[in-house]
Structures are given as structure tokens and as C-alpha cells.
């Protein structure tokens, strides 16, 4: 498939308002693609370049992209930025710039979809000194060969936001339809191998191939997530439940085969280098090949330390030893996904936990089982007294559902009314906040789109404002007056007093009195609250009029 053809499909998809029609179109394209094209196409239409489990990252910031485009159309970075500001969309602006140039250039080499992917691989592989130059050269080559429409989607792909509304759910349904297999099998395979591109190849082979997929070592599995809720509700719905402390640290996934082990963060990044103590403690605690799921916390004088101490270690790439002396990390393991060649994610939690108890000698998170609300409340009070964030209340018969924020795991903490939201814009501050961004625009996710729900300015300390500005300024895509558009990469946890239905935002909701709680450095944009979950919270709150809590 030519990249031009791909771009035309994107253009068509962008114009289709309805989900079903999109699925129709995509499912009609997939069977005609070669085995090489299929996984690339599937990832690309979702605005992703590499498999979700892969540590490969393009590492193209807006500036590099602008420089590449500027070179190709014979102008300066500022002129490109100006065009983007005027139009308000990177893809459209690049398209226009290339269209102006096209009248003067004669030679364009046709680009193939798979070749574009290979070039992206080269960009991702460029590392160390000179890597920016190398990335720039490849990006220039790509834009040099791009027709205007291709430029629109090339630039959006480089920023990994295609804006055609093709999320994982739609892609999954299209794959099932294209190859005549059950959606639940596609979903099952996706959860295990974490790459819809490869899942499409398996779907082509048939239902057996999808059914047989195994979780693999050193290919991180998306982490199962929790919804906010209450003890009484969860026991009311399920009777006996498993209760664990909710540790305020950082999530990790530990993979081990023989003497070899790797640790992945919640964003599925390989963080092994920074965490030799965790690697050592867990390797020593089992003789089996395993994938373990847990939370690492920082300890000082026998009490848990705040989350910030842990995240520093997860970010750390160098000088681990001196850092380690200051902050000791302790792993608490609460789940097992793989054991000696067997995939365990489809077993009920009760059974996984039994295996965990058998194969891990230490560092297992304590678990209490009860169907009695009063007893559960006592465990919750103990958890808080011990310095933990709260408790997790888990359904004993539930499978491990990678990447799903369901009610199988419910988190109960004193302040449950917070949301993790993507930062998609900012506004220059005034007065004391001049020179930095004074407020940030926040969004929920919905099928690959990010939809704003409010702006946060309260609760950010002056130091934090500067820190956030340093992080955000690299991602500025466009500016109009005092407002800037940011390439989504930061995630804020915010509190609020109420969710209101609102016509002012495309999401249909607005947060009342949002306040900044913290920067979620452990979370990527794909982990932010979904529109569905937000509607659900809105519904629950408006029904009960309650404020949550335990
Ligand atoms: P939140 O990040 O607020 O959505 O809460 C879910 C997170 O709590 C998980 O991703 C883990 O990082 C963390 N966590 C702490 N203790 C546990 C536990 N016992 N079971 C599961 N997750 C836990």
C-alpha cells in the first residue's frame, strides 16, 4: 500500500462521523493488506507507530518536526509555527505549506506504507550524540517526498495523534469483522500480547491462533487498573472480597527467566537500570520464571514515604547507588500473570493468588478476605494508620484484565474525588505567574480523542508552576493570544467539587473548582480517565447526591 493511499483512507475516516461506518470501511481494507502491511496499517490508523509493549519511541518533538518541514518548504521554523498558530492544527498547516511548495517542485518519490514505518524505526533507533541530526535527516526525507495530504498524516503520526477518531475499540471491532472472528477473541489476544497490529495477523490465521496466544516474557502486559468506589458497594455486589493495602508508590511489572530479569513501569517502560534493589529482592524470592505485578514503595524508619520519593528512582538512569542509599525501595507483589511458560491472566484472582503464595517466598502483599463490611472498614482504618493511601477491594473470581479500569478492582481512599487527566493546552500567566503558564487545559480520552473538561490553576505551588512550565514548554504545538496548544504528554491528577453537564466543552462535561493534586509522572496519556468513566461518575453522583468516600 502506498502512503498516499493510506492518507486518502485517513481523510475519508476523518470525515465519517459514525463509529459503525468507520468500522465498515476499515474492515473492508484489512483483508487486502499483505502480512507486512497489516500490522503497520492497524497501528497507524490508531495514531500509533510501535506496538504498545515496545520500548521504541519516535522521540520527535514539535520543534524537530517544524525544522524538517521548514527545510523542505524553504522557510524557517518560526514561519512553520506561525502557520500552525494561524490554522490551529499541525496536520492541516503542514498540508498547506507543502501545497504551496508543490507548485515549484518536480520530483517526488512515491512512499510506501511499510517504508515509512522503516524510516520511523530509523528515527527511533537514533540515539546518543548526533541523534537529533539523524532524526532530522530522516524526517526531512519523509516530508521531502510527501504530497500535501501525506504531509497532513505524516506530521500527525510523528506526534502520534492522528485525530481521525480510530481508537482501540473501533480497531478491535474492525479486525473481528474483517476476518470473521469473535470480538471477544480479538480482545483476549489483545490483552495478552498488547499489540493490535500483531493481533490482526493472528485474526487472519483464525480463531485458534487468537485463542492460543500466550503472555510472553519481556513483553510487558498492560496493567489492570482500578475504579474509585466504596467498601459497602463492593461487598454488597460480590459478598466475600479480597482486601489489600493501597500502597502509595509506583506500579511495576517484574519479568524473570532464569537469571535474567527486567522491570517495567506502568507506562511499560523498561526501568530496570534504576531499580537494582527491587530486581535483587524479587529475583532472590523465587526460583521460577514469572511475571509479577506489584507496587514499589519507599521506606524510611519502617514507615512508607510519599510517592515522590519512589518516582525519582523510577526516573533515575544514572548514579543509582548514591540515590539508593537515601531511598530504600521495597516491592509489594499482589498478582502473577505468568508462571513457567503458562499464561495465568484468564484464571480467577483467587487461583492466581494461590500460585503466587506457592512460588514467591517474600514480598507478597498481605491480603484479607471478608464479606463483612465492619471488618473491612477496620482493615481500611488500619491501612490508613500504617501510612498507606487506603485499600484495594478486589473481586476474587475476576480474571486479570490488562489495561482495563473496571470494577473488579475498586480503590477506596479518603479523597476519592480525583481524576487523572491529560494536559492538552495552557494559558500564559499574569502578575506573579507571568513568564510561565498559569493554568492548564485538561482532557479525558474517548476513542483516541482527547476532549477538554476544564482548566486548572488552583493548587499549584510557585515551584511546581516553574517545574510544569519547564516540562510543558517543549510540547507547545501552537499559540493563539495567551493560549497555547500542547502535544499531550503530561498527566495531572486533579480534585474537583462536582462534575457538571456543560455545552462549553466538546466532552459535554465541565469540572467545578478543579484543583491540582499532583503530576502523574508514572502515567501516560493513554492512562487518563475515559469519557465513559466520567459520565458514569456524573451519573452516580447525580443519582446519590453523595460525595463518595469510604
Ligand atoms: P490509581 O492510580 O489511583 O488509579 O490507583 C490504582 C493504582 O494503585 C495501581 O495502578 C497501583 O499502582 C496502585 N496500587 C497500590 N496498591 C495496590 C494493590 N494492592 N493492588 C493494586 N494496585 C495497587
Amino acid at each position: 500500500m502506498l502512503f498516499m493511499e493510506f492518507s486518502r483512507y485517513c481523510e475519508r475516516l476523518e470525515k465519517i462521523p459514525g463509529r459503525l461506518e468507520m468500522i465498515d470501511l476499515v474492515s473492508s481494507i484489512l483483508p487486502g493488506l499483505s502480512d507486512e502491511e497489516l500490522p503497520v496499517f492497524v497501528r497507524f490508523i490508531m495514531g500509533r507507530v510501535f506496538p504498545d509493549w515496545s520500548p521504541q519511541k519516535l522521540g520527535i518533538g514539535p520543534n524537530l518536526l517544524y525544522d524538517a518541514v521548514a527545510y523542505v518548504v524553504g522557510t524557517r521554523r518560526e514561519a512553520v509555527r506561525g502557520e500552525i498558530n494561524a490554522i490551529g492544527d499541525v496536520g492541516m498547516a503542514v498540508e498547506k505549506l507543502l501545497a504551496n511548495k508543490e507548485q515549484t517542485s518536480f520530483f517526488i518519490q512515491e512512499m510506501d506504507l511499510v517504508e515509512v514505518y522503516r524510516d520511523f524505526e530509523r528515527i527511533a533507533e537514533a540515539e546518543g550524540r548526533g541523534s537529533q541530526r539523524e532524526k532530522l535527516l530522516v524526517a526531512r526525507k519523509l516530508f521531502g517526498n510527501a504530497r500535501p495530504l501525506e504531509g497532513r498524516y505524516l506530521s500527525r503520526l510523528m506526534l502520534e495523534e492522528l485525530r481521525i477518531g480510530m481508537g482501540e475499540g473501533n480497531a478491535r471491532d474492525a479486525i473481528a469483522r474483517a476476518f470473521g472472528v469473535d470480538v471477544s477473541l480479538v480482545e483476549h489476544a489483545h490483552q495478552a500480547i498488547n499489540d493490535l497490529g500483531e493481533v490482526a495477523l493472528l485474526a487472519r490465521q483464525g480463531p485458534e491462533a487468537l485463542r492460543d496466544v500466550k503472555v510472553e516474557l519481556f513483553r510487558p502486559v498492560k496493567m489492570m487498573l482500578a475504579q474509585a468506589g466504596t467498601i459497602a458497594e463492593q461487598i454488597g455486589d460480590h459478598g466475600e472480597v479480597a482486601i489489600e493495602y493501597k500502597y502509595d508508590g509506583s506500579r511495576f511489572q517484574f519479568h524473570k527467566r532464569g537469571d535474567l530479569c527486567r522491570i517495567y513501569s506502568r507506562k511499560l517502560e523498561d526501568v530496570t537500570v534504576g531499580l537494582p534493589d527491587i530486581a535483587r529482592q524479587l529475583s532472590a524470592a523465587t526460583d521460577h520464571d514469572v511475571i509479577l505485578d506489584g507496587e514499589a514503595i519507599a521506606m524510611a524508619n519502617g514507615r512508607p514515604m510519599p510517592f515522590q520519593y519512589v518516582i525519582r528512582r523510577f526516573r533515575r538512569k544514572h548514579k543509582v547507588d548514591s540515590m539508593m542509599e537515601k531511598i530504600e525501595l521495597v516491592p509489594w507483589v499482589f498478582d502473577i500473570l505468568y508462571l513457567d511458560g503458562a499464561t495465568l491472566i484468564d484464571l480467577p484472582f483467587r487461583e492466581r493468588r494461590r500460585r503466587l503464595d506457592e512460588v514467591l517466598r517474600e514480598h507478597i502483599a498481605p491480603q484479607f478476605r471478608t464479606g463483612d463490611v465492619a471488618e473491612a472498614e477496620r482493615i481500611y482504618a488500619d491501612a490508613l494508620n500504617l501510612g498507606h493511601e487506603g485499600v484495594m477491594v478486589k473481586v476474587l473470581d475476576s480474571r486479570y484484565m490488562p489495561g482495563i479500569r473496571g470494577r473488579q478492582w475498586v480503590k477506596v481512599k479518603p479523597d476519592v474525588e480525583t481524576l487523572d487527566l491529560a494536559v492538552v493546552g495552557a494559558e500564559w500567566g499574569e502578575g506573579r505567574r507571568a513568564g510561565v503558564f498559569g493554568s492548564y487545559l485538561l482532557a479525558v480520552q474517548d476513542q483516541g480523542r482527547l476532549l477538554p473538561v476544564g482548566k486548572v490553576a488552583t493548587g499549584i505551588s510557585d515551584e511546581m508552576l516553574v517545574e510544569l512550565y519547564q516540562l510543558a514548554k517543549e510540547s507547545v504545538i501552537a499559540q493563539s493570544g495567551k493560549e497555547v496548544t500542547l502535544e499531550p504528554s503530561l498527566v495531572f491528577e486533579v480534585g474537583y467539587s462536582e462534575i457538571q453537564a456543560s455545552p462549553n466543552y466538546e466532552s459535554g462535561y465541565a469540572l467545578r473548582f478543579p484543583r491540582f493534586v499532583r503530576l502523574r509522572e508514572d502515567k501516560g496519556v493513554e492512562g487518563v480517565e475515559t469519557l465513559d468513566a466520567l459520565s458514569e461518575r456524573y451519573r452516580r453522583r447525580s443519582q446519590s447526591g453523595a460525595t463518595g468516600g469510604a
Side-chain angles (χ1 to χ4, degrees), residues 19-73:
R19 184 180 130 73
L20 294 179
E21 234 184 300
M22 291 182 90
I23 294 169
D24 261 353
L25 175 58
V26 174
S27 65
S28 71
I29 303 166
L30 299 185
L33 298 173
S34 73
D35 280 358
E36 221 182 355
E37 290 164 345
L38 183 58
V40 174
F41 181 88
V42 168
R43 290 198 295 264
F44 275 16
I45 46 163
M46 295 188 295
R48 316 238 173 108
V49 174
F50 301 113
D52 283 351
W53 57 266
S54 163
Q56 274 179 307
K57 294 272 171 306
L58 267 186
I60 297 186
N63 284 340
L64 198 140
L65 192 148
Y66 302 164
D67 286 347
V69 173
Y71 177 84
V72 168
V73 303

Side-chain angles (χ1 to χ4, degrees), residues 244-247 251 266 295 334 394 405 411:
E244 294 163 4
Y245 297 140
K246 184 171 192 308
Y247 303 97
R251 187 82 173 266
R266 172 168 173 154
E295 182 94 349
F334 43 74
K394 301 183 177 177
R405 186 185 286 284
K411 54 183 173 188

Side-chain angles (χ1 to χ4, degrees), residues 223-227 244-252 266 293-295 334 365-366 389 391-392 394 405 409 411 413 418 420 493 518 520 522-523:
M223 311 217 174
M224 181 162 171
L225 302 168
Q227 273 187 24
E244 294 163 4
Y245 297 140
K246 184 171 192 308
Y247 303 97
D248 191 12
S250 252
R251 187 82 173 266
F252 70 81
R266 172 168 173 154
D293 184 7
E295 182 94 349
F334 43 74
E389 231 189 325
V391 289
M392 300 288 293
K394 301 183 177 177
R405 186 185 286 284
W409 288 10
K411 54 183 173 188
K413 46 183 182 173
T418 70
D420 294 326
E493 181 177 344
R518 64 183 170 187
R520 293 292 308 244
D522 57 327
K523 259 196 188 176

